Amino acid sequence: MTDIASTRPTSMRDLAAARKREERRTRAFLLAPAMAILIFAASGPLLIVLVYSFLTPGDYGGVVWEFSLKAWFNVFAERDFFTEEIELADAHLSIMWRSIKLSLMTTVICLIIGFPTAYFIATRPRGTRDFWMLLVIIPFWTNLLIRTFAIMELIRNEGTFNSFLVGIGVIDTPIQMMFTEFAVLVGMAYVYLPLMILPIYASMERFDFSLVEAGYDLYATRFQVLRRIILPLVKPGVVAGSILVFVPCLGAYVTPRVLGGGKNMMLGNFIELQFGQGRNWPLGAALALTLLVIVMVALIFYVRAVGREEVRGHG
Amino acid sequence: MIEIDRVTKVFGSAADAFRALDTVSVTIRQNEFFTLLGPSGCGKTTLLRVIAGFVDPTEGSVTLEGQDLLRLAPYERPVNTVFQSYALFPHMTVAQNIGFGLEMQGKPGEEVRRTVGEMLDLVRMSELADRRTSEISGGQQQRVALARALAPRPRVLLLDEPLSALDFKLRKDMQLELKRLQSETGITFVFVTHDQEEALTMSDRIAVMNAGAIRQIGSPRDIYDHPAERFVADFIGDTNFLEAELLTVEGERAEVRLASGREIAARAAEGGAGQGPVTVAVRPEHADLAPEGEGLLPGRLGDVVYFGTDTHFHVDLDAGGRFVVRRQNQPDQAEARGRGDRVSVRFGPGVGQVLRD
Ligand SMILES: Nc1ncnc2c1ncn2[C@@H]1O[C@H](COP(=O)(O)OP(=O)(O)O)[C@@H](O)[C@H]1O
Ligand SMILES: [Mg+2]
């Protein structure tokens, strides 16, 4: 009896350990294809771009296999054509600045519109929430270009908005909205709004609204309930939504191209230009990598800032 | 003093309108442990939420010390709630939860800290002050919810089935703890439960509710010994219902003729019917068995069920129906009677309660 009692748990433990090893092996095997795709598909092209940024541009596009730092130099600086003096590449920097500025503004606009929208949907009766979410998602099924043209139809000089204002006599000449930063902002906010609403809604749906009542019960005003109870608890959704809007905005191409025109170029358009008419692939590659760095730095700052607040908020 | 005057709450509209509260009137006294007792869905939570301000009554008025509560937003009412699900803030520590109300009232930091310390002592949670609320047990969460609601020193504390999520042993402890807190703080407690035993042991007064209306208000003893109507008698404790005929009624004193033809004095509820057929309620432990021919209601003994503390005798009455007699057990006293024996049920004058309906 004692023998059985003492040997059985040991063999059971062995068995469990063996099963765990087996499980680990199976998991590694199942993960392998995904990992392979991620590694080759993500880092492969990136590696090519990195290499190209250190080469010399070919005359008709493409690259000549000759090492050069010129592209990286040109990202930030330029040599004056006549005096040969080195000065900051104002044009490039202003495009970068505009990209960052418009992306930040778009994120804020999406947050201001998206948060109440998500709150509204999350507080509807359970049965009708799907309907509201559908309304948010449907535009997403439409081609990006078509959605952008729809905005254009609204704001162009002969468009819906201006015709209406002129029609009711508020203005007599249409307001120029197309080909301005405003147009780019409206377009990007419209296009990326669902990306803000979805994650905020996801965390709001999990939010326990009896906590709001508890807040009111404990003398918190509406604003205090929002700031002290709702916001801290749906913050993961707000963070995710902000990242999901900010990142694609930085690299946006179609919307600034259609609504902003040539004057209001953003980084995405400028990069495309280098691979097209500019015939400067190394510069395009270097700019693309710069964009990547901007995104990463911005994300690190953002996540750090949010994390610090977390520590402070929860003492 | 809370005065609830003819409060009605209708949810929904037109076709699917639902009357959750139907002209409810009740006065809750200062420093009272007042319990709303009733089956699930009878409107207890709705009434509590009307007082807290989360539900606007369709009709009626609610005043606290003469002040119209309905004009005040929930965060302006000197009333705090212990929620059924506790609703503790998961992103705050135990101490931060307890201090939240004080902070929102704009109390200075020093006072907040001191009061939180006192509250932690009061509910015996000082050691866990810096834990997250997800890191403490259900019973501890319950105590935090209590401390959080008590900290701002509300005039009235509303408790919505605060003990229902706890296991039996913990519930018994918390019942005593709640009583202690109520007498130590002197705050009026309005306590909601569907557990009649809990209501009887804890309350100064009980309001028994059914289908959105208050059926009877009284002390636990009042409600138990003198249920006014069939619903109350049935919902609280076990009861035998006897068909009888009301002969005379004079205030609370009534004279009834039982189905066996015997006449006996009984108690009549206020506002009861005049003469005619009535139902008389008799608690099992208020009746006893007598030898055949001596009692009020002859019958034949059915099941005899031993319960440890007491024994239940099921008597099939000759006049129809079954009557249960409960007798407390004495040590080493074997029961001589058995199934099939002829017996008679007896109870004293004034024991039977003539029901209103
Ligand atoms: N917001 C609401 N909308 C519609 N019906 C409700 C609402 N709140 C409660 N009710 C209904 O009112 C009745 C009473 O509910 P409640 O007060 O929660 O009962 P109790 O707390 O006694 O179990 C229930 O039938 C419930 O379905
Ligand atoms: Mg309830």
Side-chain angles (χ1 to χ4, degrees):
Chain A
M1 274 310 271
T2 39
D3 266 338
I4 295 172
S6 63
T7 54
R8 255 191 54 188
T10 328
S11 62
M12 292 272 270
R13 212 173 304 142
D14 282 350
L15 213 66
R19 187 167 310 148
K20 200 159 269 168
R21 266 199 304 279
E22 171 83 21
E23 246 170 48
R24 218 172 297 143
R25 212 173 305 145
T26 315
R27 204 171 307 153
F29 178 72
L30 289 175
L31 274 177
M35 290 305 283
I37 289 175
L38 271 182
I39 288 167
F40 289 111
S43 59
L46 206 60
L47 217 61
I48 296 173
V49 173
L50 184 67
V51 170
Y52 273 28
S53 73
F54 289 104
L55 297 177
T56 308
D59 287 341
Y60 304 101
V63 286
V64 177
W65 283 84
E66 199 173 298
F67 179 79
S68 161
L69 285 175
K70 193 145 178 289
W72 282 102
F73 175 81
N74 278 339
V75 168
F76 303 102
E78 59 194 0
R79 207 178 288 275
D80 192 284
F81 197 77
F82 300 109
T83 62
E84 298 266 308
E85 261 174 63
I86 295 171
E87 30 186 61
L88 279 179
D90 290 340
H92 297 187
L93 293 182
S94 77
I95 288 173
M96 275 180 219
W97 169 236
R98 183 186 299 126
S99 296
I100 294 172
K101 184 182 71 180
L102 291 182
S103 301
L104 280 177
M105 288 169 77
T106 306
T107 309
V108 171
I109 292 170
C110 285
L111 198 55
I112 290 171
I113 301 174
F115 191 91
T117 309
Y119 186 90
F120 172 84
I121 298 174
T123 49
R124 288 315 93 190
R126 194 162 281 287
T128 60
R129 287 183 209 162
D130 288 346
F131 165 75
W132 291 104
M133 275 325 279
L134 196 68
L135 290 190
V136 171
I137 294 169
I138 280 177
F140 229 58
W141 295 342
T142 319
N143 184 291
L144 174 63
L145 201 58
I146 292 172
R147 276 183 291 159
T148 308
F149 274 117
I151 287 289
M152 184 168 120
E153 178 53 36
L154 281 178
I155 64 175
R156 72 194 168 92
N157 287 1
E158 300 78 31
T160 316
F161 195 64
N162 271 320
S163 316
F164 176 71
L165 287 185
V166 171
I168 63 169
V170 176
I171 49 173
D172 30 71
T173 48
I175 305 170
Q176 175 66 41
M177 285 181 283
M178 277 302 289
F179 311 122
T180 62
E181 287 188 357
F182 171 78
V184 179
L185 218 50
V186 169
M188 292 205 301
Y190 169 64
V191 164
Y192 293 119
L193 187 60
L195 291 181
M196 183 64 88
I197 295 177
L198 283 167
I200 296 181
Y201 171 73
S203 45
M204 285 236 186
E205 210 194 11
R206 266 179 280 127
F207 178 78
D208 173 8
F209 278 91
S210 70
L211 297 181
V212 171
E213 279 189 359
Y216 286 140
D217 193 60
L218 293 162
Y219 313 106
T221 58
R222 265 165 200 284
F223 177 72
Q224 284 168 324
V225 164
L226 179 68
R227 202 175 71 78
R228 297 289 306 271
I229 298 166
I230 301 177
L231 271 182
L233 287 170
V234 301
K235 201 163 70 179
V238 172
V239 170
S242 303
I243 291 175
L244 283 180
V245 171
F246 180 73
V247 171
C249 273
L250 262 186
Y253 171 72
V254 171
T255 311
R257 174 75 185 268
V258 173
L259 298 175
K263 273 192 313 198
N264 298 291
M265 221 182 261
M266 285 178 62
L267 261 177
N269 311 101
F270 191 57
I271 292 169
E272 188 266 349
L273 198 63
Q274 305 312 318
F275 287 97
Q277 294 161 312
R279 291 189 195 148
N280 193 343
W281 286 27
L283 180 59
L287 283 168
L289 288 173
T290 308
L291 174 61
L292 189 71
V293 170
I294 293 175
V295 168
M296 288 200 331
V297 168
L299 283 188
I300 289 168
F301 264 104
Y302 185 58
V303 170
R304 278 252 184 99
V306 167
R308 196 163 42 242
E309 191 170 295
E310 188 124 0
V311 172
R312 187 154 23 94
H314 301 156
Chain B
M1 193 169 78
I2 308 173
E3 276 188 90
I4 296 165
D5 190 22
R6 284 163 290 170
V7 163
T8 293
K9 177 65 195 178
V10 180
F11 285 115
S13 56
D16 52 15
F18 178 77
R19 211 168 259 268
L21 292 175
D22 193 1
T23 40
V24 170
S25 295
V26 54
T27 301
I28 299 167
R29 301 176 192 137
Q30 188 83 46
N31 299 352
E32 190 173 30
F33 198 117
F34 190 88
T35 299
L36 298 171
L37 172 66
S40 168
C42 71
K44 307 180 295 290
T45 298
T46 305
L47 184 55
L48 217 55
R49 290 167 61 80
V50 166
I51 301 174
F54 301 127
V55 168
D56 282 329
T58 314
E59 273 168 57
S61 74
V62 181
T63 59
L64 173 65
E65 320 291 350
Q67 186 187 19
D68 184 3
L69 276 189
L70 298 183
R71 286 155 167 263
L72 301 178
Y75 53 84
E76 293 167 332
R77 300 187 186 195
V79 170
N80 285 152
T81 308
V82 176
F83 293 88
Q84 187 165 6
S85 60
Y86 309 150
L88 297 178
F89 304 126
H91 57 300
M92 298 182 196
T93 64
V94 167
Q96 286 170 336
N97 263 282
I98 297 175
F100 187 83
L102 296 161
E103 227 183 293
M104 292 300 115
Q105 282 180 318
K107 295 273 157 62
E110 183 48 43
E111 188 186 335
V112 173
R113 218 166 3 243
R114 186 161 36 80
T115 312
V116 168
E118 284 168 17
M119 285 299 142
L120 284 166
D121 282 343
L122 190 68
V123 297
R124 306 190 179 105
M125 289 284 295
S126 301
E127 278 88 75
L128 302 176
D130 295 323
R131 290 271 190 93
R132 286 292 179 89
T133 55
S134 54
E135 298 164 349
I136 56 177
S137 72
Q140 290 165 340
Q141 287 179 2
Q142 214 281 318
R143 300 224 290 276
V144 174
L146 205 57
R148 184 180 70 173
L150 282 172
R153 296 239 146 224
R155 304 275 271 290
V156 180
L157 188 70
L158 308 174
L159 303 101
D160 192 358
E161 311 212 14
L163 307 181
S164 61
L166 305 181
D167 61 43
F168 182 76
K169 180 75 176 58
L170 209 51
R171 197 156 68 226
K172 292 283 154 209
D173 291 347
M174 280 308 295
Q175 286 178 3
L176 296 177
E177 184 112 353
L178 274 179
K179 267 310 255 189
R180 175 180 71 89
L181 285 173
Q182 199 259 333
S183 57
E184 277 180 25
T185 57
I187 293 172
T188 307
F189 276 34
V190 182
F191 183 87
V192 161
T193 183
H194 64 259
D195 182 339
Q196 41 123 349
E197 196 185 314
E198 200 165 276
L200 291 174
T201 53
M202 298 176 73
S203 322
D204 294 325
R205 286 196 306 151
I206 299 173
V208 183
M209 292 182 69
N210 187 34
I214 292 184
R215 308 307 318 182
Q216 189 174 359
I217 302 175
S219 70
R221 185 168 277 280
D222 246 6
I223 299 260
Y224 186 82
D225 286 348
H226 308 298
E229 53 182 60
R230 182 181 276 266
F231 172 79
V232 177
D234 208 17
F235 188 71
I236 297 172
D238 300 321
T239 312
N240 295 294
F241 294 107
L242 298 171
E243 299 308 322
E245 195 188 337
L246 187 59
L247 302 173
T248 61
V249 59
E250 221 187 287
E252 286 192 335
R253 286 190 49 84
E255 196 73 32
V256 294
R257 183 186 295 129
L258 300 174
S260 62
R262 298 288 297 261
E263 290 172 16
I264 189 166
R267 246 182 89 118
E270 276 173 59
Q275 281 147 343
V278 289
T279 304
V280 174
V282 181
R283 298 288 183 192
E285 68 275 19
H286 292 164
D288 200 358
L289 293 180
E292 194 185 7
E294 285 182 25
L296 296 169
L297 298 159
R300 190 174 290 280
L301 195 56
D303 292 332
V304 177
V305 189
Y306 177 73
F307 272 93
T309 54
D310 44 33
T311 302
H312 297 188
F313 299 88
H314 296 246
V315 180
D316 294 315
L317 300 177
D318 293 345
R322 161 169 288 196
F323 195 103
V324 179
V325 172
R326 185 183 300 165
R327 185 191 271 174
Q328 193 164 17
N329 290 325
Q330 304 299 329
D332 301 323
Q333 173 212 55
E335 182 48 57
R337 295 192 185 88
R339 171 185 280 280
D341 288 356
R342 293 287 307 170
V343 290
S344 182
V345 171
R346 81 167 159 223
F347 47 88
V351 165
Q353 175 76 22
V354 180
L355 300 178
R356 206 186 283 151
D357 50 1

